[in-house]
Amino acid sequence: MGVEQIKKYADPEFSRSEVLANARYIFANTDEYMDFPRPISHKIIYIGGITCDVNNANSENLSDEYKHIFDSAEDGVVLVSFGSLAKSSEMPLENKEAFIKTFEKFPKINFIWKYENENDSIGNDLPNVFKQKWLPQKEILAHPKLLAFITHGGMNSVIEAAHYGVPLIAISLFVDQHRNAKMLEYRKTTIIVPKTDITESNLVNALTTLTQGESGKEYRQKAKTLASMLSSRPMQPKERFLKYL
């Protein structure tokens, strides 16, 4: 909610600067195991992952359609989603073609692609591409055969991937997404492909590094280690939020 809406509907005297100065705590949607090391005051309470219930998001709850996608993948599955604001169906055509050519280069990997236009036939001729208008993202991330997640780097996607131990290819688009991508690149669980450099060559190189050979094993191990650290904290985000509140 914007400042003007808060003044209109809640408090005509509302001042952002006064609220921040007088706040006893500021709950931040990030996590100290993910974020850059930095000095903070005692007011900052990390609650990143508060909506990410790892124990309840079970891949066994996936529909038969998704189970078939995972079961039929020889090497594994890659999830491709750019969130709810940036739609894959509205990408420039040259970007879509770069993705399609990349998918063709990995026939043993199945790609689940969040693609919002059901009438668009792009990629329909590829047997390893499965376009979906909506995705059960947490359950997909929880599946042990998921190799990687190609994402826009939104904070919720970044946090969920970290909690489930999934390495990323981050193609950040705007605002906080650039920092989010750098944050996990620093943790060595993410490869960044700039949005201005979406080419077949760059995508193939990034996906090969992230999923194949020793480099792929290293990225997956780093991602699993980060997930283990997040799950073994003395206080989980919900508990931390309630205690401080």
Side-chain angles (χ1 to χ4, degrees):
M1 182 179 287
V3 172
E4 294 305 316
Q5 285 74 23
I6 294 175
K7 286 183 176 180
K8 180 178 179 180
Y9 295 108
D11 181 4
E13 304 301 321
F14 177 83
S15 165
R16 178 186 288 147
S17 59
E18 288 185 10
V19 166
L20 290 173
N22 296 329
R24 294 185 179 176
Y25 296 114
I26 298 172
F27 294 101
N29 185 33
T30 185
D31 189 278
E32 60 265 44
Y33 291 106
M34 294 170 49
D35 211 335
F36 294 108
R38 55 177 171 161
I40 60 172
S41 82
H42 66 283
K43 288 185 176 185
I44 307 298
I45 310 300
Y46 289 120
I47 57 168
I50 195 168
T51 62
C52 188
D53 193 338
V54 174
N55 294 325
N56 287 333
N58 194 322
S59 60
E60 291 300 319
N61 296 329
L62 287 169
S63 66
D64 290 340
E65 178 183 11
Y66 285 104
K67 288 179 180 177
H68 170 71
I69 293 173
F70 279 98
D71 291 342
S72 63
E74 188 172 338
D75 286 352
V77 174
V78 171
L79 172 63
V80 184
S81 173
F82 291 90
S84 55
L85 294 178
K87 297 180 179 179
S88 294
S89 59
E90 296 177 359
M91 281 183 186
L93 180 59
E94 59 268 27
N95 289 355
K96 294 180 186 180
E97 290 177 344
F99 276 99
I100 292 298
K101 290 176 180 177
T102 300
F103 300 157
E104 285 184 294
K105 291 289 177 62
F106 296 89
K108 293 182 179 181
I109 294 176
N110 284 347
F111 293 87
I112 301 175
W113 191 8
K114 183 177 180 295
Y115 199 91
E116 299 75 15
N117 185 355
E118 296 174 329
N119 297 319
D120 191 336
S121 62
I122 189 169
N124 287 358
D125 58 325
L126 296 181
N128 65 330
V129 176
F130 302 85
K131 297 188 300 184
Q132 302 289 344
K133 190 174 182 179
W134 178 88
L135 299 169
Q137 183 164 296
K138 294 178 185 177
E139 285 74 16
I140 291 174
L141 289 171
H143 200 288
K145 284 190 72 174
L146 190 74
L147 296 173
F149 180 14
I150 301 176
T151 173
H152 62 310
M155 182 56 82
N156 286 336
S157 291
V158 162
I159 288 176
E160 287 175 5
H163 276 77
Y164 292 107
V166 179
L168 305 175
I169 293 176
I171 305 174
S172 52
L173 304 175
F174 43 70
V175 292
D176 68 316
Q177 296 167 9
H178 304 300
R179 185 182 186 279
N180 299 342
K182 283 290 185 183
M183 189 171 68
L184 286 187
E185 182 187 50
Y186 172 77
R187 299 295 178 188
K188 295 181 171 46
T189 66
T190 295
I191 294 174
I192 294 176
V193 175
K195 65 179 181 180
T196 54
D197 293 333
I198 299 176
T199 65
E200 176 191 354
S201 175
N202 288 338
L203 291 175
V204 167
N205 288 339
L207 198 55
T208 299
T209 301
L210 205 65
T211 64
Q212 309 291 322
E214 290 302 316
S215 63
K217 290 179 182 178
E218 185 175 349
Y219 273 99
R220 287 193 293 276
Q221 184 56 54
K222 293 280 187 183
K224 294 299 182 186
T225 298
L226 178 58
S228 177
M229 292 167 65
L230 292 171
S231 67
S232 61
R233 289 170 296 186
M235 275 196 291
Q236 292 300 309
K238 287 182 181 179
E239 182 184 8
R240 182 181 288 182
F241 174 75
L242 290 172
K243 286 195 172 186
Y244 275 95
L245 189 63

